[in-house]
Amino acid sequence: MKLRYLGHSAFKLTNGNYTLLLNPFISGNPLAVTRPEALKPTHILVTHGHADHSGNALSIAARTGAQIIAPTELADHFRSKGAKAHAMYQGTQIFEFGKVRMTLALHGSYLEEGEEAIYAGNPCGYVIHCDGKCVYHAGDTGVFGDIEPIGRMNGPIDCALLPIGGNFTMDPEEALEAADLLKLRLVVPMHYDTFPVIRQDADLFAGNLMRRGIKGKKMAPGETIDL
Ligand code: NI
Ligand code: MN
C-alpha cells in the first residue's frame, strides 16, 4: 500500500484497486502540490467539518462519484449537497477496501457556509485496515488518555499520522506522549507549517521519536512512501 502526503492533513492511500483520500484540503492549501482535478479517489474520508479538512471533498466526490465517509452530521450535510456519503459515529464498519474504525478526537467541528457556521457533529480520527496494513489518521486532536486503547485494539499500527502543529491540536511534545500511549513504530507528522500559527520543527520531533525507539518520517508534500 502506498501513502502519499498532500500537505497539511491530506493524504492519499492506494492499494491498486482502491484510492482513499483523507481530508482533501487542496484549494487554498499553501502546501498543496496537486490540483483537486488530478485526484481520482474511490473513497474520501473526512475527520471533521473545518475547511482545512473538508476542503475539496464535495467537488471531488461530485466529479468522481467517490463515496465520502464522515461523522454522521457531516455526512448528512454532504448528502444534502448530492454526494454519496456513509455516516458513522465512533464504531467500526467493513468497506470494500477494508475495515474502518472511527475514533475519538479531542477537537471541534463546524462548516462555514457564507456567514453561517453549521454544526458538523463530533470530530474523529480513523484507523484504516487495508491490504494487511493498519494506518491511523488521528485527525485534529489534542492528546488524551483514551488514545491508548486505539493502539492496543488495532495494534500494531503500521503507520500513524499525528498532528504536531500545536495551538489547534497536539504539539510535538504532546504527540510524543500520544506515540508512547499508542505504542507506535512509525509516525508521520502532519498539520504543521501550513500557517504561521502552527509552525513546528518536524526534524526535531523525528529525532525525539528516535530516542524513544520510534521511527519518525517527515514527509514532504508530494512525497510517497510504501507501507
Ligand atoms: Ni480542525
Ligand atoms: Mn485543522
Side-chain angles (χ1 to χ4, degrees), residues 104-184:
L104 187 66
L106 212 56
H107 195 61
S109 182
Y110 66 88
L111 283 153
E112 284 168 271
E113 216 170 43
E115 302 280 279
E116 224 191 319
I118 303 167
Y119 174 65
N122 285 320
C124 74
Y126 291 104
V127 177
I128 301 162
H129 296 267
C130 179
D131 245 7
K133 300 284 179 188
C134 177
V135 176
Y136 172 46
H137 188 301
D140 276 7
T141 185
V143 67
F144 51 96
D146 287 347
I147 207 166
E148 187 270 334
I150 296 173
R152 183 156 35 81
M153 290 178 66
N154 300 291
I157 292 170
D158 294 292
C159 178
L161 318 172
L162 297 183
I164 65 161
N167 195 77
F168 306 110
T169 69
M170 300 180 209
D171 64 10
E173 189 187 357
E174 290 153 346
L176 281 177
E177 178 69 18
D180 276 345
L181 289 169
L182 288 158
K183 299 197 167 44
L184 297 177

Side-chain angles (χ1 to χ4, degrees), residues 70-83 85-89 111:
T72 299
E73 291 82 353
L74 186 55
D76 285 348
H77 171 80
F78 288 141
R79 215 181 275 138
S80 78
K81 301 286 181 189
H86 182 97
M88 290 179 74
Y89 282 124
L111 283 153

Side-chain angles (χ1 to χ4, degrees), residues 8-27:
H8 198 55
S9 188
F11 290 86
K12 194 172 85 168
L13 271 172
T14 38
N15 83 338
N17 294 321
Y18 299 102
T19 299
L20 278 54
L21 197 55
L22 289 118
N23 286 336
F25 167 50
I26 312 294
S27 306

